[in-house]
Amino acid sequence: MCGIVAYIGDKEAYPILIKGLKRLEYRGYDSSGVALINSGELNLYKKQGKVVELENFAEGKNITSNIGIGHTRWATHGPPNDINAHPHFSNSKNLAIIHNGIIENYASLKKELILRGHKFESDTDTEVLIHLIEDIQHVAKVNLVEAVRIALNEVIGAYAIVIISKENPDLMIAAKKSSPLVIGLGKTDEYFIASDATPIVEYTKNVIYLDDEQIAVISKGQELRLIDIKNQKVTPYIQELEVQLEAIEKGGYDHFMLKEIYEQPISIKNSMRGRIDANKGIVSLGGIRDYEQKIMNANRIIIVACGTSWHAGLVAEYLFEDFTRIPVEVEYASEFRYRNPIISENDVVIAISQSGETADTLAAIKLAKEKGATIIGICNVVGSTISRETHCGSYTHAGPEIGVASTKAFTGQVTVLSLMALSIAQKKGTITDSKFRQVLVELEDIPNKVERMLKSDKQVRYIAEIFKDATNFLYLGRGYNFPVALEGALKLKEISYIHAEGYPAAEMKHGPIALIDEEMPIVVIATKHGNYEKVVSNIEEVKARSGKIIAIVTEGDTEVKAIADYVIEIPATEDALSPLLTSIPLQLLSYHIAVMRGCNVDQPRNLAKSVTVE
Ligand code: G6P
């Protein structure tokens, strides 16, 4: 969480920083701030709230500068007020820092620094780091770069930082560990630094992704220098960015979330591109080819993920067990990493993450890797930390997802997991040829069906209007659509702040049924698949308690239509692929309800898109 951006060059820094912060706002929006050096002064402007508050605050102030740093915050240490907003000053106010991450041993460092006369203004761990750096500079009588290096050897935790100094107005120092940081190389002597490439892409495509414990020293008139915290020289590896500017703009939609929902026919196609040929009966995921034998012979597959990605993992549990007959466990990464799990060299761990930066998922991978398991990554962000930490993997290629509530990333993950399960099943011989081809043909046709599905938007909006003031929602599904019920409930909670629970339809009898009355909307996924008749019985049970049924049914259904209060139809498809269709009306339902309730759809309160703290 938290987004950082910095600029040094011959352009005006402030507009670049503000634009960059707006692009990074999805990472946190509790407060924002900038620090700029001009005419020998190090000026700091920061404000609680969104970047627009900062803009209003800074208007008319002295913001002319060619060097500056900016930060948008997701609060960890200390409430989201002006004082705790970044950047933070050192004791003398000669240095300023922006930081994404957590300095875990900040309390003991702070105690020591207070004894040495340091005065702190904020409650943040970040302020401690910049005081420490300055303290080392004076005590050890070393230059700023060396002080940063020594300090980073003393801190425990995660950081992506950029530091500027009033005394060295042409110098910028950046470093990272466990939090992402990318440096864009502009024209000669011009550098852009950010948490991800979105603030950089419109200026340059040439970037360097810093690795953990690396420090970049950028001085005007000199080549960028990379060292590690042990003071070893590192040769920079320059990569070319693939992301296009249009992909990170709203393109005429009111919100990123709506744009991303509507992009799904294309994003799902992109997840399959070059990997499937239904006519020839071919599925091939180049990224895992070298490890396929290992997966086929795995004792079990352990899936680790958080949030929506965990729901995609649950769908994959059904897919892999159904098709490949390999036992699957799906774990919350945050639980897995701390419960001393039993992992052997014959286990395969699949880590699913849109951002590729989620701290718990990353830690779960590291743990499983240490114990000898084979790690497969399914990430959306190309070059992300998780994609680099895994043995092999497949990108979802859904394109940048900016809305905090995940939509197209989820369907991209389910698509790639379907391809993976099919490919392994075919090689293992655990799926018949006719079934394999049947699912393949259906999968290739899913983007067209999603396109058709999106036409139900009007009906979904109508239903949203009726239930927008509800205080509770229940989502029910069975089999492949149980995880979709969880995902539907999560979407509604996240962006409309309505309490919602997802449940396996039959399990409803063991608790949630007590909540049902005539006020309670219940979304039931009742498509014509294996458990259809059972779901119909569950709907009857709800109706008997006067609950209001919103049913997702297969086109042409008559049975559920006769008993449900409202229905949304989806095109008929394979049971295993149905989550790719049933999830779409649930995304739209939460979207419309949130808009009708006046909620900030793309930046829901307290949430962040990239959760880089545990
Ligand atoms: C946050 C986001 C969710 C996301 C989850 C896991 O909670 O708001 O949308 O599903 O993190 O993130 P990841 O990037 O690992 O998929």
Side-chain angles (χ1 to χ4, degrees):
M1 1 266 292
C2 299
I4 63 174
V5 60
Y7 175 78
I8 179 166
D10 56 11
K11 295 192 179 76
E12 274 302 326
Y14 179 75
I16 294 172
L17 298 181
I18 290 292
K19 207 168 184 187
L21 289 178
K22 286 187 176 164
R23 294 220 196 281
L24 292 175
E25 234 176 355
Y26 73 89
R27 301 179 67 90
Y29 27 85
D30 287 332
S31 64
S32 63
V34 293
L36 303 154
I37 303 176
N38 52 18
S39 326
E41 290 297 312
L42 175 54
N43 293 315
L44 207 153
Y45 307 108
K46 45 193 206 169
K47 210 69 204 143
Q48 180 179 347
K50 300 237 160 72
V51 177
V52 64
E53 306 291 338
L54 170 68
E55 268 185 297
N56 294 338
F57 174 69
E59 206 183 302
K61 301 205 165 61
N62 189 358
I63 48 174
T64 306
S65 171
N66 302 128
I67 174 169
I69 56 179
H71 186 275
T72 179
R73 179 173 188 242
W74 188 86
T76 58
H77 294 64
N81 54 29
D82 293 355
I83 291 173
N84 288 328
H86 296 214
H88 288 286
F89 273 142
S90 60
N91 206 44
S92 68
K93 301 199 169 20
N94 280 339
L95 305 176
I97 187 172
I98 46 173
H99 170 217
N100 164 213
I102 289 183
I103 304 301
E104 287 171 13
N105 57 337
Y106 85 102
S108 56
L109 293 170
K110 187 170 184 175
K111 221 169 174 184
E112 225 172 280
L113 288 163
I114 288 172
L115 290 176
R116 302 160 65 76
H118 285 253
K119 299 243 171 335
F120 290 92
E121 288 175 357
S122 77
D123 307 315
T124 65
D125 49 334
T126 306
E127 193 186 6
V128 176
L129 178 56
I130 196 67
H131 277 241
L132 175 68
I133 290 168
E134 185 164 77
D135 195 66
I136 293 171
Q137 238 186 323
H138 294 150
V139 175
K141 300 206 178 350
V142 290
N143 66 29
L144 183 56
V145 178
E146 183 58 4
V148 170
R149 192 189 70 76
I150 296 171
L152 294 181
N153 277 283
E154 282 187 32
V155 298
I156 300 168
Y159 54 79
I161 53 169
V162 186
I163 293 164
I164 52 174
S165 156
K166 187 158 108 178
E167 290 163 340
N168 300 284
D170 293 334
L171 173 71
M172 186 170 262
I173 302 169
K176 82 142 239 158
K177 183 184 178 189
S178 301
S179 296
L181 198 116
V182 52
I183 302 176
L185 314 176
K187 51 185 173 36
T188 320
D189 260 1
E190 184 184 42
Y191 297 91
F192 305 81
I193 304 178
S195 298
D196 71 30
T198 56
I200 296 176
V201 63
E202 72 180 274
Y203 307 105
T204 176
K205 295 257 169 179
N206 298 326
V207 296
I208 300 167
Y209 286 93
L210 280 204
D211 274 332
D212 277 354
E213 303 197 325
Q214 288 184 345
I215 303 170
V217 183
I218 301 168
S219 306
K220 268 199 187 149
Q222 284 176 31
E223 289 252 299
L224 175 141
R225 189 159 62 90
L226 272 193
I227 53 168
D228 66 16
I229 65 166
K230 301 277 172 283
N231 216 3
Q232 300 296 313
K233 195 168 176 272
V234 178
T235 310
Y237 170 58
I238 301 172
Q239 282 173 261
E240 198 170 319
L241 280 180
E242 282 177 16
V243 57
Q244 301 297 326
L245 188 59
E246 310 80 70
I248 54 170
E249 296 188 326
K250 274 193 214 146
Y253 285 89
D254 288 345
H255 299 97
F256 279 110
M257 183 181 177
L258 189 63
K259 176 186 174 229
E260 287 155 8
I261 292 173
Y262 271 83
E263 274 172 353
Q264 287 175 110
I266 295 168
S267 59
I268 295 175
K269 208 178 254 173
N270 286 340
S271 302
M272 292 193 274
R273 197 179 296 285
R275 294 168 166 174
I276 179 173
D277 186 333
N279 282 334
K280 294 191 182 140
I282 297 173
V283 176
S284 169
L285 287 162
I288 60 160
R289 200 167 296 140
D290 294 347
Y291 288 83
E292 260 171 2
Q293 203 62 41
K294 189 100 198 174
I295 306 170
M296 282 159 62
N297 297 330
N299 270 352
R300 63 181 173 156
I301 293 173
I302 305 166
I303 298 178
V304 292
C306 304
T308 290
S309 299
W310 185 76
H311 294 154
L314 287 180
V315 176
E317 178 179 17
Y318 287 81
L319 281 165
F320 274 86
E321 293 205 342
D322 209 0
F323 292 159
T324 70
R325 309 309 297 151
I326 304 170
V328 179
E329 283 167 28
V330 187
E331 301 261 3
Y332 285 116
S334 55
E335 287 299 312
F336 179 79
R337 62 181 288 198
Y338 284 121
R339 69 169 178 74
N340 193 14
I342 301 163
I343 308 164
S344 80
E345 287 177 4
N346 295 325
D347 290 330
V348 166
V349 172
I350 303 181
I352 309 173
S353 175
Q354 188 287 127
S355 61
E357 303 294 346
T358 303
D360 283 318
T361 310
L362 192 55
I365 291 174
K366 287 188 175 156
L367 174 76
K369 215 167 158 188
E370 271 165 31
K371 302 216 176 196
T374 300
I375 322 287
I376 305 174
I378 298 195
C379 298
N380 193 35
V381 177
V382 177
S384 53
T385 311
I386 291 178
S387 69
R388 285 183 280 136
E389 285 287 333
T390 44
H391 292 112
C392 63
S394 295
Y395 285 116
T396 43
H397 293 306
E401 192 181 64
I402 314 279
V404 165
S406 187
T407 52
K408 64 173 180 172
F410 173 77
T411 47
Q413 290 163 345
V414 172
T415 304
V416 170
L417 288 159
S418 307
L419 292 170
M420 207 176 269
L422 284 167
S423 155
I424 300 295
Q426 189 201 27
K427 295 195 173 70
K428 259 191 104 183
T430 46
I431 189 168
T432 62
D433 197 46
S434 63
K435 178 76 181 171
F436 175 74
R437 281 179 179 265
Q438 191 184 318
V439 182
L440 227 55
V441 169
E442 260 309 306
L443 187 52
E444 218 171 33
D445 198 31
I446 283 285
N448 297 329
K449 292 190 173 170
V450 173
E451 189 86 62
R452 255 163 73 195
M453 186 64 253
L454 288 166
K455 299 213 165 73
S456 66
D457 195 10
K458 212 168 144 215
Q459 164 75 348
V460 179
R461 206 176 320 164
Y462 168 74
I463 297 170
E465 186 66 54
I466 295 166
F467 291 105
K468 64 178 191 306
D469 298 319
T471 45
N472 290 292
F473 262 76
L474 193 58
Y475 285 72
L476 303 177
R478 293 180 86 122
Y480 279 100
N481 282 300
F482 156 55
V484 178
L486 295 182
E487 176 58 10
L490 176 65
K491 287 286 87 82
L492 189 72
K493 262 187 284 220
E494 280 182 308
I495 60 169
S496 72
Y497 318 138
I498 295 175
H499 171 247
E501 280 192 59
Y503 249 79
E507 192 63 20
M508 165 195 71
K509 288 190 286 295
H510 301 285
I513 199 163
L515 300 170
I516 296 174
D517 60 18
E518 61 284 356
E519 301 295 321
M520 177 80 141
I522 295 124
V523 179
V524 188
I525 303 154
T527 46
K528 276 241 162 81
H529 295 117
N531 285 319
Y532 176 73
E533 293 303 336
K534 309 255 179 235
V535 177
V536 174
S537 307
N538 298 137
I539 294 177
E540 294 286 10
E541 289 156 12
V542 172
K543 282 307 292 178
R545 274 107 193 145
S546 309
K548 294 280 174 294
I549 297 284
I550 304 158
I552 315 294
V553 299
T554 307
E555 273 169 3
D557 179 286
T558 50
E559 211 175 329
V560 174
K561 258 189 190 162
I563 46 174
D565 297 276
Y566 306 92
V567 292
I568 301 163
E569 292 190 328
I570 68 151
T573 191
E574 280 289 315
D575 193 8
L577 305 178
S578 60
L580 293 169
L581 299 181
T582 51
S583 54
I584 308 244
L586 305 192
Q587 296 167 351
L588 285 169
L589 183 67
S590 59
Y591 171 78
H592 289 304
I593 290 180
V595 171
M596 287 168 192
R597 288 166 71 97
C599 300
N600 187 333
V601 173
D602 284 334
Q603 293 171 349
R605 72 181 175 211
N606 304 337
L607 295 178
K609 184 134 196 84
S610 182
V611 182
T612 52
V613 295
E614 58 172 286

